[in-house]
Amino acid sequence: MDQGGQKDDLWLRRFHEGVDGDPLLVCFPHAGGSAAYFFPVSAALSGSANVLAVQYPGRQDRRREPPVDTIDELAAAVFTALRGVLDRPLVFFGHSMGAVTCYEVARAIERETAVSPLGIIVSGRRAPSLHRTETVHTRDDQGLIAEVHSLEGTDAGVLGDEELLRMILPALRTDYKAIETYRYRPGPPLRCPIAAYIGDSDPKVAVSEAAAWRDHTSASFGLRVFAGGHFYLGDRPAETIKAVSEDILAFRAAIA
């Protein structure tokens, strides 16, 4: 599919065939992350959801493309890529930077079309209306690597491989710039439900900050707190998958 010069298959990746009629779960990676991060999610949910993972420019098979340095531009591109499936029941899952990106895509869908996602699941991120001054993207390479290492979301082998680091650092720095320079623009709350997930020892977001997502929907809101840090979902995949499955069912039941 190609809309407005954009090849949608560059942005949306499917790892497993789903079942017709099942909802589309669109997964949005964290800063420095790629679509492949959600391969295990796709495998686990292949019998109950059609999983699509967003591939941002500047990494893996898109590494020769310049990375995108604003959330607005990322969200606009993903919105364009999703236009062909807006007649399907959609659920978004976004982790960290991906949480804000999927929120802005959901806002664009509700603003520009007559439809709405079934619901969105936002993970490891404070509510968009809560601002913190963060400047990780302005650090030197070692400072950036130290930040990523502290969150334990990147394989230690990658952090210790100079060649691999040279490949991922430009996209990683640009992702941090995108999320750290993001500014929430007030507007109507989403019409779809929001479920917020957080690790109880996440250094990047407090439980109260995750709970503030409730102010961004006029529908239902739920908060799940998992044992773990910023990348709790990597340590507790079975718990996370179970929660996602339950929330997808709840989103569907809400419109039945």
Side-chain angles (χ1 to χ4, degrees):
M1 197 186 314
D2 191 334
Q3 300 180 28
Q6 173 178 287
K7 291 184 177 179
D8 298 348
D9 57 357
L10 290 177
W11 287 90
L12 303 173
R13 304 300 168 83
R14 185 190 301 272
F15 300 117
H16 302 89
E17 289 301 319
V19 178
D20 289 345
D22 283 344
L24 286 176
L25 176 66
V26 185
C27 298
F28 295 71
H30 54 280
S34 66
Y37 184 78
F38 292 105
F39 183 91
V41 176
S42 175
L45 293 177
S46 60
S48 59
N50 294 286
V51 177
L52 298 177
V54 176
Q55 184 78 306
Y56 306 136
R59 65 217 69 204
Q60 293 188 331
D61 58 334
R62 302 190 71 184
R63 64 185 178 275
R64 290 185 174 83
E65 299 176 55
V68 177
D69 65 359
T70 72
I71 297 297
D72 287 346
E73 187 178 348
L74 272 180
V78 178
F79 170 57
T80 297
L82 288 171
R83 279 190 176 274
V85 296
L86 292 182
D87 59 337
R88 302 280 300 277
L90 295 174
V91 175
F92 294 163
F93 179 96
H95 182 66
S96 198
M97 180 184 83
V100 175
T101 306
C102 81
Y103 166 71
E104 288 295 345
V105 175
R107 292 180 94 186
I109 290 172
E110 291 194 346
R111 183 175 61 246
E112 303 293 339
T113 76
V115 301
S116 179
L118 290 180
I120 70 170
I121 302 171
V122 290
S123 168
R125 183 68 188 180
R126 63 184 177 271
S129 52
L130 301 181
H131 175 67
R132 286 189 193 180
T133 299
E134 296 173 313
T135 57
V136 174
H137 74 280
T138 66
R139 299 179 188 176
D140 63 15
D141 288 351
Q142 290 307 311
L144 185 60
I145 293 167
E147 171 71 13
V148 174
H149 187 73
S150 72
L151 297 177
E152 300 179 345
T154 301
D155 190 309
V158 173
L159 295 177
D161 188 312
E162 185 176 346
E163 184 176 354
L164 283 176
L165 275 176
R166 283 200 302 268
M167 292 175 62
I168 69 170
L169 277 176
L172 181 64
R173 184 179 300 282
T174 302
D175 286 354
Y176 267 93
K177 179 182 178 182
I179 192 58
E180 291 180 344
T181 59
Y182 167 80
R183 297 295 180 269
Y184 168 71
R185 292 185 301 278
L190 291 178
R191 300 190 297 274
C192 66
I194 296 177
Y197 296 2
I198 183 179
D200 61 4
S201 58
D202 190 337
K204 302 294 287 184
V205 53
V207 172
S208 60
E209 293 176 310
W213 278 97
R214 73 171 67 250
D215 297 331
H216 293 276
T217 177
S218 60
S220 63
F221 173 79
L223 175 66
R224 295 180 186 257
V225 181
F226 299 83
H230 190 62
F231 284 96
Y232 70 88
L233 62 174
D235 297 328
R236 287 176 165 72
E239 291 179 39
T240 306
I241 293 297
K242 182 174 182 290
V244 170
S245 297
E246 291 172 351
D247 280 322
I248 290 173
L249 287 174
F251 293 158
R252 299 189 79 177
I255 63 168

